Amino acid sequence: MVASASISSCLNYTAPTLIDGQHKHLTMKMGNLNKTGYAYSATTKKLRNVITCSGAASNSGATIQDFIGGDLVKLDLGRWLSDVEEHKSIAIYTPHEGGYEGRYLARLRYQGYRVFSLSARGLGDPETTLTKIHPVCPAHLGKQPIARWYFPPEIDFRLDTLPPQYKGLVLWITEAKVLSKAELQFITMIPNLRPNVRVIAECGNWRKFMWRPLKEAAGLTTEQAA
C-alpha cells in the first residue's frame, strides 16, 4: 500500500518517490553544535533507497527541479511573454496549492506592465463595471437608507492614471471559472477595445501551470475574437 500510494502521488503531482534496489553512498555525519550552526564531518553510510521522480526524462535519477524547487526554474517564461503579446487575452490553469502563478505575474511587471487584480466573484456585469460608469449600492445594514454611488470605469480610470513609464495594464482576474461564456467572451475582446490592456483570467486548476488563448476557453472563433 505504501509503494502504490507513493507511485500514485508521483504520477499526479510529479513529486519525488522512493525506488528500491538502488544504492548510494552518502558522506554526511552531524558534528558538534556551535553558535554558528552544525558542523559536519565526512563518513560513509549506505542507503537502500534513492529519490527519483516520474516527471524526469528517464528513471536514472532526479531532475534539477527536485533539488532547487520547481517554482524557481521556469524555462517557459519566454513563451509565456510571447503568447501574452500575441493573443492579448490568456486563460491560465494553476495548481491547487497556488503560488506558481506569481512567477509569471512578476515577469509581466518586469516587462513594464502595471497589474490590476480583481476577483470575478461579485464583479457584476463585466462590460458595465470595467468600461462604463457603474452604480454601487453600499451595505445599509437594515437601518441606513439605500444609497447608490457611481464609480468610474475600472479599466479606463487606471489607464488615465497610468504613469508614462509603464507599457500598459494587465487585468488579472481570479476565480474566472464562475463567469459565464458570454462574460468570458466580452473579457476576451477587451484588448480590442483598449489596446494597452492585456487580460489574464484564472479559469481553473491543473497539476502544473498551464495556459491557452482565452478565446478558446470562451468558445470564440478567430473571426469573432477579431
Side-chain angles (χ1 to χ4, degrees):
M1 293 296 293
V2 176
S4 61
S6 62
I7 294 175
S8 176
S9 64
C10 190
L11 291 177
N12 290 334
Y13 302 100
T14 64
T17 58
L18 295 178
I19 296 180
D20 297 330
Q22 299 182 3
H23 300 276
K24 290 286 184 178
H25 292 278
L26 179 66
T27 58
M28 184 173 66
K29 181 179 180 181
M30 184 178 296
N32 296 326
L33 178 66
N34 51 29
K35 294 182 179 180
T36 59
Y38 289 97
Y40 296 95
S41 61
T43 187
T44 301
K45 286 191 176 181
K46 181 181 293 185
L47 295 180
R48 294 186 177 179
N49 298 319
V50 294
I51 296 178
T52 187
C53 181
S54 63
S58 62
N59 291 330
S60 58
T63 62
I64 188 174
Q65 295 185 1
D66 297 319
F67 295 98
I68 64 177
D71 61 329
L72 299 179
V73 179
K74 293 301 177 187
L75 304 178
D76 56 355
L77 286 175
R79 184 167 59 88
W80 159 256
L81 295 175
S82 62
D83 286 349
V84 170
E85 294 297 337
E86 178 183 356
H87 301 289
K88 298 180 175 58
S89 297
I90 299 293
I92 63 174
Y93 302 85
T94 61
H96 289 82
E97 62 270 20
Y100 294 90
E101 62 273 14
R103 304 290 179 182
Y104 299 86
L105 185 148
R107 185 60 60 177
L108 292 175
R109 284 176 174 162
Y110 294 157
Q111 295 298 315
Y113 285 101
R114 169 170 282 187
V115 179
F116 169 44
S117 178
L118 77 164
S119 175
R121 297 184 183 274
L123 180 61
D125 180 25
E127 181 180 3
T128 303
T129 304
L130 299 176
T131 61
K132 298 180 180 179
I133 297 176
H134 56 280
V136 174
C137 296
H140 54 83
L141 303 179
K143 297 181 180 180
Q144 292 83 9
I146 299 177
R148 176 177 291 182
W149 298 346
Y150 288 86
F151 287 82
E154 297 292 343
I155 291 180
D156 296 340
F157 170 73
R158 284 164 176 80
L159 285 177
D160 293 339
T161 59
L162 194 67
Q165 67 269 21
Y166 282 91
K167 186 177 180 180
L169 181 71
V170 171
L171 177 62
W172 193 287
I173 303 178
T174 61
E175 300 179 295
K177 57 187 177 182
V178 304
L179 298 177
S180 64
K181 281 293 183 65
E183 293 171 335
L184 283 177
Q185 289 174 1
F186 172 77
I187 292 174
T188 303
M189 295 184 292
I190 287 180
N192 297 333
L193 304 175
R194 306 292 187 271
N196 292 335
V197 176
R198 302 292 181 265
V199 177
I200 311 296
E202 297 184 10
C203 294
N205 299 102
W206 194 243
R207 296 169 184 170
K208 64 178 183 178
F209 188 90
M210 297 180 61
W211 70 85
R212 62 173 175 165
L214 185 56
K215 62 183 179 182
E216 296 182 3
L220 285 175
T221 61
T222 304
E223 291 78 9
Q224 290 174 330

